[in-house]
Amino acid sequence: MLLRMLELSSVILFVFCLLSLFLWFYFHYNYFFKLKNILGPAPVPLIGNALYFREINDILPNLMRFKKKYGSPFKLSFGFQYPRVIICDPKFMTFFLSSTKYITKSEDYKFLRNWLGNGLLTSTGKEWKGHRKMITPAFHFNILEQFLDVFEKNVDIMINKWEREVGTKCFDVFPYLKLFTLDIICETALRTEINAQIDDNSDYVRAVQTVTRIMMERSLSLFVSYESIYKFTNKFVEERDALKIINDLTDSVVKRRKEEIENQSNYQTEEFKVKRKLAFLDLLLQAEADGERLSEISIREEVNTFMFEGHDTTASAISFCLFNISQHPKVQKKIVEELKTISEKSSTDHYTYSDLQEMKYLEAVIKETLRLYPSVPIFGRLAIEDIVHDGKVIPKGSTISLFAFGLLRDPELFPEPEKFLPERFLNNNVKINNPYSYVPFSAGPRNCIGQKFAMLEMKSTIGHILRKFELHPADENFRLNLIVEAILKSTTGIKIGIKKRG
Ligand code: HEM
């Protein structure tokens, strides 16, 4: 009896495997036949190229290796998922980023949906267009100018905390900058102080880390990428708990701001009706008050989107920038000279909007940092139809991964791509001034709405830090180990040493 049951289960298993193989070959050839003009590593039946991407650590080195071997675009396959086409050349990048048709985000973003819902980053079509139009005035320079005080107040808090690092060999700047940028995005866009730098054991920050990590793990997994399987895993519970912390904070921020507005008797007349140049959250609340279709959920999703996009990205960029400056004393000297010239003309210790515009060398340093270490190294689009371009077909349903990190290290565009050479942004180089070749903020209709905000924040912060401290390299054994966790990070930290500037 036992023998017969074993025989039966072996037969069932055999049939199951055969069927899976058949389905995989059918699925694979249906899509991959169309992709015959695009090269890529040979897939293993059933799992495709998943073995190359077992861990987060594998993503960047393997993508760079395949770029070198197969050129751009190249293709990847993951089990039964739609094919993935990786783009890292200016021609295809321009085609996709400049398009007003291919603006739908790829399936990768579905892992952000529990958190960001249909916020500006993840939505598409009419909803995205309407919200983009509504939110754009929040980045008018009149508004941005008002934020300079907030940047300075918060950099002072961070600088005070750094006093304890003076004299130590080196320290990781990223955790400090995460809290700093979180305070800034809340105080500027949301007009709410959450004092994350003071209460540095923030549950919110840990919750954001949890959801971004789970998002990346899901996008790499053959199984938990499916919602029906994911719901039965520990990760699902972990994400749900983290989301509760995030949403509770978001809701309390919105509630607090609503109450403040209600208590300001002349708010409606002066700010709402006359100036109509409102910071981000007030703009959303105004739209709601004006009866535009913005539900509480919609407001929460936009607030979550800005809290996410507005802090981790800038924290990563400033950290890598300080790291680069610490490693290049001549670059540091030039920035300090530029800052000195600007300060000498000024009667105060504060940087005005026009002072920040004058920091051309620092701007080149930031640009070169974002070239080598783009905060968002990969972004994605969905092929909403069979797309034919330059003799190549990308079948409907494919994920188009726009691999900015690869393009920004392309030796044709950026000679000696591994070297940190800010000067390349000071010469009028037509090739790299093309917005579709230099893409750390993406480009075209879905580019980063917070680009100017980020530039001002980065210049002000680095300017103030360099006034106070001299940066020096971390100990010689320190190496960055880059990973993509939605945002570019380093598993070994981003370390520098500091001395008080004499
Ligand atoms: C150094 C800092 C930053 C970098 C490198 C950066 C980069 C990017 C990139 C590459 C995208 C396109 C992403 C995609 O297509 O998936 C993007 C979109 C976006 N960014 Fe930024 N970002 C930065 C700072 C900010 C800040 C400070 C804010 C808000 C204040 C912000 C808000 C957004 C939003 C809302 C989107 C979605 C825009 C849309 O799809 O219409 N970003 N950013």
Side-chain angles (χ1 to χ4, degrees):
M1 180 70 180
L2 186 67
L3 209 64
R4 288 195 66 187
M5 273 176 70
L6 272 175
E7 269 173 14
L8 190 67
S9 50
S10 309
V11 170
I12 292 173
L13 191 67
F14 179 73
V15 172
F16 176 77
C17 290
L18 213 62
L19 200 69
S20 304
L21 263 176
F22 171 76
L23 282 175
W24 185 81
F25 274 107
Y26 178 77
F27 177 84
H28 189 79
Y29 279 101
N30 233 348
Y31 285 98
F32 280 78
F33 180 72
K34 288 187 181 166
L35 280 164
K36 61 181 182 299
N37 288 339
I38 297 180
L39 301 175
V44 174
L46 293 180
I47 56 171
N49 305 119
L51 289 177
Y52 290 112
F53 297 94
R54 270 176 287 194
E55 285 176 26
I56 283 182
N57 266 320
D58 299 333
I59 301 178
L60 286 174
N62 277 330
L63 289 182
M64 288 305 277
R65 198 156 62 83
F66 295 146
K67 168 187 187 286
K68 207 168 172 189
K69 190 162 179 192
Y70 304 109
S72 168
F74 65 89
K75 67 186 169 195
L76 293 173
S77 131
F78 292 90
F80 286 88
Q81 293 171 14
Y82 287 106
R84 190 174 280 268
V85 177
I86 319 294
I87 308 282
C88 41
D89 67 288
K91 230 183 192 178
F92 268 84
M93 200 62 102
T94 306
F95 175 74
F96 281 109
L97 291 184
S98 62
S99 165
T100 47
K101 189 172 178 190
Y102 304 123
I103 57 164
T104 303
K105 294 298 175 82
S106 63
E107 282 288 288
D108 297 332
Y109 293 72
K110 79 176 177 203
F111 307 120
L112 280 172
R113 286 236 157 74
N114 290 343
W115 175 24
L116 308 184
N118 269 342
L120 204 58
L121 181 71
T122 38
S123 60
T124 191
K126 270 189 186 161
E127 185 174 7
W128 166 76
K129 219 172 172 184
H131 282 209
R132 176 99 189 189
K133 203 171 156 204
M134 180 197 302
I135 294 168
T136 297
F139 293 91
H140 190 278
F141 100 95
N142 281 348
I143 296 283
L144 298 181
E145 205 174 14
Q146 296 168 24
F147 297 157
L148 302 185
D149 290 350
V150 180
F151 298 161
E152 290 194 354
K153 187 190 94 181
N154 281 291
V155 82
D156 278 349
I157 297 175
M158 189 169 66
I159 283 173
N160 272 334
K161 292 175 83 178
W162 283 17
E163 296 282 348
R164 64 180 175 226
E165 306 287 1
V166 176
T168 62
K169 228 177 181 181
C170 61
F171 69 106
D172 182 5
V173 288
F174 188 66
Y176 285 103
L177 278 148
K178 262 182 92 72
L179 300 174
F180 164 76
T181 50
L182 182 60
D183 272 345
I184 285 185
I185 197 68
C186 288
E187 211 171 325
T188 52
L190 312 179
R191 293 195 191 264
T192 302
E193 292 179 36
I194 62 160
N195 298 319
Q197 291 200 88
I198 292 165
D199 169 19
D200 58 9
N201 192 19
S202 164
D203 286 344
Y204 178 83
V205 174
R206 250 178 292 132
V208 169
Q209 260 159 359
T210 304
V211 289
T212 44
R213 176 180 45 80
I214 292 177
M215 179 206 116
M216 238 23 237
E217 285 169 0
R218 286 190 70 193
S219 70
L220 284 178
S221 163
L222 290 181
F223 300 107
V224 289
S225 60
Y226 296 102
E227 205 62 29
S228 44
I229 300 177
Y230 175 59
K231 278 191 175 147
F232 296 100
T233 62
N234 288 341
K235 282 191 207 310
F236 174 77
V237 179
E238 211 187 335
E239 189 194 44
R240 190 193 55 199
D241 294 348
L243 283 176
K244 174 149 176 30
I245 294 170
I246 293 173
N247 287 334
D248 283 353
L249 179 80
T250 307
D251 292 347
S252 77
V253 164
V254 175
K255 189 166 165 251
R256 216 185 310 170
R257 187 63 193 150
K258 270 187 174 171
E259 283 165 5
E260 274 169 17
I261 291 174
E262 275 160 23
N263 293 335
Q264 285 172 21
S265 52
N266 51 7
Y267 191 86
Q268 284 285 340
T269 49
E270 282 178 19
E271 278 196 273
F272 266 75
K273 307 283 183 218
V274 186
K275 283 199 209 151
R276 296 188 81 85
K277 285 204 173 63
L278 302 170
F280 167 73
L281 178 56
D282 289 3
L283 207 73
L284 297 180
L285 294 175
Q286 179 199 12
E288 191 197 29
D290 286 352
E292 285 184 42
R293 248 183 281 135
L294 262 185
S295 61
E296 272 181 22
I297 295 286
S298 215
I299 293 181
R300 179 204 272 178
E301 290 171 350
E302 289 302 1
V303 170
N304 279 346
T305 297
F306 274 73
M307 276 167 114
F308 166 56
E309 277 292 306
H311 93 279
D312 248 5
T313 47
T314 334
S316 161
I318 299 175
S319 303
F320 283 115
C321 205
L322 294 173
F323 171 78
N324 279 332
I325 297 169
S326 76
Q327 299 279 330
H328 297 87
K330 282 186 188 153
V331 169
Q332 179 163 193
K333 197 164 167 247
K334 278 192 182 174
I335 306 172
V336 172
E337 275 164 13
E338 181 176 76
L339 294 175
K340 237 185 194 161
T341 314
I342 291 168
S343 295
E344 275 163 10
K345 282 192 270 168
S346 166
S347 55
T348 72
D349 275 351
H350 307 287
Y351 290 132
T352 62
Y353 191 86
S354 72
D355 289 341
L356 297 176
Q357 300 308 312
E358 271 184 55
M359 296 179 184
K360 294 292 175 210
Y361 187 71
L362 178 55
E363 188 168 306
V365 170
I366 293 171
K367 281 185 166 173
E368 178 67 344
T369 298
L370 283 170
R371 182 189 70 76
L372 275 169
Y373 305 108
S375 312
V376 189
I378 308 172
F379 27 98
R381 298 282 192 276
L382 178 74
I384 51 167
E385 59 188 6
D386 280 0
I387 300 170
V388 185
H389 183 64
D390 202 23
K392 300 190 165 73
V393 182
I394 300 176
K396 183 177 174 178
S398 302
T399 289
I400 299 151
S401 291
L402 301 160
F403 183 38
F405 186 94
L407 179 68
L408 292 166
R409 288 179 183 230
D410 189 322
E412 298 261 309
L413 287 170
F414 306 98
E416 301 187 277
E418 306 295 325
K419 283 196 177 158
F420 178 70
L421 301 170
E423 275 70 16
R424 65 174 105 229
F425 286 98
L426 293 174
N427 315 324
N428 242 346
N429 184 333
V430 187
K431 255 190 186 171
I432 66 175
N433 283 332
N434 171 359
Y436 299 104
S437 301
Y438 182 72
V439 292
F441 291 101
S442 184
R446 292 216 73 159
N447 70 351
C448 174
I449 198 171
Q451 180 170 348
K452 284 191 188 139
F453 177 113
M455 236 342 157
L456 290 176
E457 182 180 345
M458 291 188 283
K459 283 181 174 176
S460 166
T461 307
I462 296 165
H464 282 288
I465 290 174
L466 287 185
R467 261 185 180 175
K468 197 81 186 179
F469 300 115
E470 206 180 297
L471 313 189
H472 58 87
D475 62 89
E476 58 198 29
N477 297 327
F478 175 70
R479 296 279 175 278
L480 293 172
N481 181 38
L482 301 181
I483 53 155
V484 190
E485 235 179 42
I487 304 297
L488 190 72
K489 293 179 182 165
S490 163
T491 53
T492 48
I494 305 174
K495 291 188 181 171
I496 65 167
I498 53 171
K499 279 188 210 147
K500 278 221 171 137
R501 196 167 283 284

